[in-house]
Amino acid sequence: MGYSMVLDQFNNILESLKEDYKIFAPKVFKDKGTYSDTDMIRYGEISSVKEIEFDQKSYYSAKELILPITQTLFYFTEDNVIEPKVDNEKGIIIFLRSCDINAIERLDEIYLRNGQEDPYYKKLREKVKLVLIECKNSFENCFCVSMGSNKTEDYSLFIRKKDNDILVDLKDDEFLRYFETYDKSEVLPNFIESNEIKVNIPANLGIDAFSYDLWEDYSSRCISCGRCSTVCGTCSCFTMQDIFYSDNLSTGERRRVWASCQIDGYTTMAGGHEYRKDKGERMRFKTMHKIYDFNKRFGYQMCVGCGRCDDACPEYISFSHCINKLDKLVKEVK
């Protein structure tokens, strides 16, 4: 069901939606980029369609909205454990691209359909409504077509900004009351059909790939900064921290905080043993997890090809090139 309206009318709808939802979208943060005179595009709360960045890829994915960078799981005292209250008064609306919607599907697999449900993730995820925005062109380093994440049907609303007009495809009847007085118009999303970068997932990939010399290339190149994981929409590792309050050391809170399998100390155990001390071994673990382990368990690839890991790496390590080099090696060995 499609509708059309001018920008001001859509802003009126956003004003009405704000009574029931917090609304997030990729937006420009002035002078917050890598350098003092560069901007940062990341997710933030918006109140107007003019704040939405339609033409550039966000540096970070939308995962921080449903998997916070740091999240208090519970507060503890000498006698009690108390879970923090969740703001249930408002839902969450997120404007995002096809690959990022597919990334959230991967997070759902990990946190909701991988055995025991994660209650903290579930509480936030159930509040979320997804609004699709389309890519007019493939961005630098994207390879979403190769990963099959360039398309999605999983959205409540699709919106297209065209000059001073907004076109909407509505799939969720919960939003019907906001749009039913506007002109009806046929509109469906267009999806990217090709990227400049193409990735070949190795056929018949097996654990024998663990012994390839390929991984040693990354032992000297990677600096273990973990940027590739923080910008990734599907990386989901975390660590735990117990915070004790200084005024009463018997009270405090437990937090879970984003972590990365690429940084020093992530696999360090009690006694000092570390599973993957070498950076090449960490790259091997990440790669095989993204294109082998996850697929083996859930039947589709974990990586969505957004290319943010390539965008963010200060050492110009390309994940897409790594997959293609692995594919070449597998073919040579077979």
Side-chain angles (χ1 to χ4, degrees), residues 15 24 37 128 130 157 166 190 197 201 225 249 285 312 330 333:
E15 282 297 318
F24 296 88
D37 61 344
V128 171
L130 304 176
L157 297 169
I166 292 290
N190 295 319
I197 296 174
I201 304 295
C225 65
L249 294 179
F285 174 80
V330 169
V333 171

Side-chain angles (χ1 to χ4, degrees), residues 68 93 113 129 141 159 174 181 186 206 213 275 303-304 319:
I93 289 175
R113 299 190 286 271
K129 298 287 187 180
N141 293 323
I159 74 161
E174 185 172 320
T181 60
E186 288 297 319
D213 293 339
Y275 277 109
C303 175
V304 296
F319 191 58

Side-chain angles (χ1 to χ4, degrees), residues 246-308:
S246 58
D247 54 347
N248 183 349
L249 294 179
S250 297
T251 64
E253 61 187 270
R254 173 164 294 179
R255 297 175 184 170
R256 68 175 173 193
V257 182
W258 282 9
S260 168
C261 59
Q262 302 302 294
I263 61 174
D264 292 337
Y266 180 73
T267 60
T268 302
M269 302 173 65
H273 176 72
E274 190 169 356
Y275 277 109
R276 291 179 291 276
K277 199 168 186 176
D278 183 81
K279 287 168 282 192
E281 293 175 343
R282 297 174 195 168
M283 184 67 174
R284 179 188 68 193
F285 174 80
K286 183 179 78 171
T287 305
M288 294 297 282
H289 183 47
K290 296 283 188 186
I291 64 168
Y292 176 72
D293 298 329
F294 188 94
N295 181 47
K296 193 174 179 182
R297 177 172 295 187
F298 299 110
Y300 60 103
Q301 300 296 344
M302 184 178 187
C303 175
V304 296
C306 68
R308 288 190 176 96

